Amino acid sequence: MASSSSFLLLAVLLALVSWQATASDPSPLQDFCVADMNSPVRVNGFVCKNPMEVNADNFFKAAALDKPRVTNKVGSNVTLINVMQIAGLNTLGISIARIDYAPLGQNPPHTHPRATEILTVLEGTLYVGFVTSNQPAPNRNKFLSKVLNKGDVFVFPAGLIHFQFNPNPHKPAVAIAALSSQNPGAITIANAVFGSDPQISDDVLAKAFQVEKNTIDWLQPVI
């Protein structure tokens, strides 16, 4: 009986380890699997295009990532190149982004639910950081930050809230980021919490943030 219980426990542990090992973009089982965007079949990712119909353009995009972008109201612009722009990225588990920052601009706190990010500063200076998860003390919600200069590299672990801020009031900054998913996703914290559709109840948010309901009511239309 004890032996049977031990075997069952081992089987459960192996299953958990195997699940964790595959909890990311699926590995390719052939040289490539160019996404067939016109297929009616729905899978986790995209169905493969007929290899006989694949050409070099399926792996190419004239993205002009060397050109500056106009920034948004928080002072940043993210130009993401993922599987939706290059169909050949399907199953390859990678994407890239150019990020432009206006003086004092920021890429506000956000998370990528499906990817780790590695960021390289091309121009200017960035103040960056991320916050750990709700793990046991003393590492619960630990804030790790760094000032980056041109040529510096920083890693944001998958799923953790992170940001970048340009502290220079006079000069813009530029960075390139690689992400470990063909479709990393992005959840901007302020937009998700205060700008959801339909809105989250102000009773819920007031309790969560320990503020008055009128503060929430003021924030929701703004975001």
Side-chain angles (χ1 to χ4, degrees):
M1 186 69 177
S3 177
S4 177
S5 298
S6 298
F7 177 78
L8 180 60
L9 178 59
L10 178 60
V12 171
L13 288 174
L14 287 174
L16 287 172
V17 170
S18 299
W19 172 84
Q20 186 64 33
T22 57
S24 60
D25 283 14
S27 298
L29 299 177
Q30 57 272 322
D31 288 348
F32 52 77
C33 173
V34 173
D36 184 352
M37 301 298 186
N38 298 316
S39 174
V41 179
R42 295 290 176 261
V43 297
N44 184 25
F46 295 95
V47 173
C48 300
K49 187 176 183 179
N50 184 339
M52 299 302 294
E53 299 175 1
V54 170
N55 58 52
D57 285 339
N58 296 131
F59 302 89
F60 169 80
K61 182 177 180 64
L65 290 187
D66 59 325
K67 300 294 192 298
R69 265 64 173 176
V70 176
T71 55
N72 58 24
K73 64 181 180 180
V74 296
S76 66
N77 186 310
V78 179
T79 305
L80 176 65
I81 307 298
N82 63 7
V83 69
M84 303 306 295
Q85 286 77 41
I86 301 180
L89 286 174
N90 192 38
T91 76
L92 297 186
I94 194 169
S95 54
I96 191 171
R98 173 190 168 114
I99 312 168
D100 291 80
Y101 310 85
L104 300 180
Q106 65 171 292
N107 188 11
H110 64 283
T111 178
H112 302 293
R114 295 179 290 276
T116 292
E117 175 181 350
I118 183 167
L119 178 137
T120 303
V121 178
L122 300 184
E123 296 291 342
T125 299
L126 291 176
Y127 171 55
V128 307
F130 66 86
V131 180
T132 64
S133 59
N134 300 348
Q135 54 190 310
N139 292 318
R140 181 185 298 115
N141 301 138
K142 186 173 183 179
F143 177 47
L144 303 173
S145 64
K146 191 79 173 175
V147 174
L148 307 181
N149 296 304
K150 183 176 180 178
D152 289 344
V153 176
F154 196 83
V155 174
F156 303 105
L160 298 186
I161 295 174
H162 60 282
F163 69 91
Q164 303 103 36
F165 171 70
N166 177 10
N168 193 313
H170 306 294
K171 294 182 179 179
V174 181
I176 287 284
L179 301 108
S180 62
S181 172
Q182 68 182 40
N183 185 24
I187 303 170
T188 303
I189 307 306
N191 294 358
V193 173
F194 298 108
S196 64
D197 183 16
Q199 291 180 342
I200 300 172
S201 166
D202 56 3
D203 289 314
V204 172
L205 294 181
K207 184 74 170 180
F209 287 93
Q210 295 293 287
V211 297
E212 298 294 329
K213 284 176 60 175
N214 58 5
T215 302
I216 301 298
D217 295 337
W218 175 79
L219 279 171
Q220 284 181 320
V222 173
I223 301 298

Short mmCIF file of all heavy atoms in Angstrom, two decimals, residues 8 19 41 46 103 105 116 152 155 166:
data_model
loop_
_atom_site.label_atom_id
_atom_site.label_comp_id
_atom_site.label_asym_id
_atom_site.label_seq_id
_atom_site.Cartn_x
_atom_site.Cartn_y
_atom_site.Cartn_z
N LEU A 8 2.15 6.75 -6.78
CA LEU A 8 1.18 7.76 -7.18
C LEU A 8 1.71 9.16 -6.97
O LEU A 8 1.57 10.04 -7.81
CB LEU A 8 -0.12 7.56 -6.39
CG LEU A 8 -1.26 8.56 -6.69
CD1 LEU A 8 -1.66 8.47 -8.15
CD2 LEU A 8 -2.46 8.28 -5.78
N TRP A 19 4.31 19.42 -16.94
CA TRP A 19 3.43 20.54 -17.29
C TRP A 19 4.19 21.85 -17.27
O TRP A 19 4.07 22.68 -18.15
CB TRP A 19 2.26 20.60 -16.32
CG TRP A 19 1.43 21.84 -16.52
CD1 TRP A 19 0.43 22.03 -17.42
CD2 TRP A 19 1.56 23.07 -15.80
NE1 TRP A 19 -0.07 23.30 -17.30
CE2 TRP A 19 0.59 23.96 -16.32
CE3 TRP A 19 2.40 23.51 -14.77
CZ2 TRP A 19 0.45 25.24 -15.84
CZ3 TRP A 19 2.25 24.80 -14.29
CH2 TRP A 19 1.28 25.65 -14.83
N VAL A 41 -9.41 26.55 -39.16
CA VAL A 41 -9.11 25.68 -38.03
C VAL A 41 -8.53 26.51 -36.90
O VAL A 41 -7.65 27.36 -37.11
CB VAL A 41 -8.11 24.57 -38.44
CG1 VAL A 41 -7.77 23.68 -37.25
CG2 VAL A 41 -8.69 23.74 -39.58
N PHE A 46 -1.24 28.94 -34.60
CA PHE A 46 -1.83 28.96 -35.94
C PHE A 46 -1.49 27.68 -36.69
O PHE A 46 -0.44 27.08 -36.48
CB PHE A 46 -1.30 30.16 -36.75
CG PHE A 46 -1.71 31.49 -36.18
CD1 PHE A 46 -0.85 32.18 -35.33
CD2 PHE A 46 -2.94 32.04 -36.49
CE1 PHE A 46 -1.22 33.40 -34.79
CE2 PHE A 46 -3.32 33.27 -35.96
CZ PHE A 46 -2.47 33.95 -35.12
N PRO A 103 11.15 62.54 -23.85
CA PRO A 103 11.72 63.04 -22.60
C PRO A 103 10.69 62.92 -21.46
O PRO A 103 9.54 63.34 -21.61
CB PRO A 103 12.02 64.51 -22.92
CG PRO A 103 12.28 64.51 -24.40
CD PRO A 103 11.29 63.51 -24.96
N GLY A 105 9.22 60.36 -20.68
CA GLY A 105 8.20 59.39 -21.08
C GLY A 105 8.42 58.04 -20.41
O GLY A 105 9.52 57.72 -19.95
N THR A 116 9.25 36.10 -21.28
CA THR A 116 10.36 36.83 -20.66
C THR A 116 10.83 37.87 -21.66
O THR A 116 10.77 37.65 -22.87
CB THR A 116 11.51 35.86 -20.31
OG1 THR A 116 11.08 34.99 -19.27
CG2 THR A 116 12.75 36.60 -19.87
N ASP A 152 23.43 49.04 -22.38
CA ASP A 152 23.12 48.17 -21.25
C ASP A 152 21.94 47.24 -21.58
O ASP A 152 21.08 47.55 -22.42
CB ASP A 152 22.77 48.99 -20.02
CG ASP A 152 23.98 49.70 -19.42
OD1 ASP A 152 25.11 49.33 -19.77
OD2 ASP A 152 23.79 50.62 -18.60
N VAL A 155 16.88 42.19 -17.98
CA VAL A 155 15.91 41.12 -18.20
C VAL A 155 14.71 41.30 -17.27
O VAL A 155 14.87 41.55 -16.08
CB VAL A 155 16.55 39.73 -17.95
CG1 VAL A 155 15.49 38.63 -18.04
CG2 VAL A 155 17.67 39.48 -18.94
N ASN A 166 12.07 57.15 -18.95
CA ASN A 166 13.17 58.00 -19.41
C ASN A 166 13.28 59.20 -18.47
O ASN A 166 12.45 60.10 -18.50
CB ASN A 166 12.91 58.47 -20.84
CG ASN A 166 13.97 59.43 -21.34
OD1 ASN A 166 15.01 59.62 -20.71
ND2 ASN A 166 13.72 60.05 -22.50
#
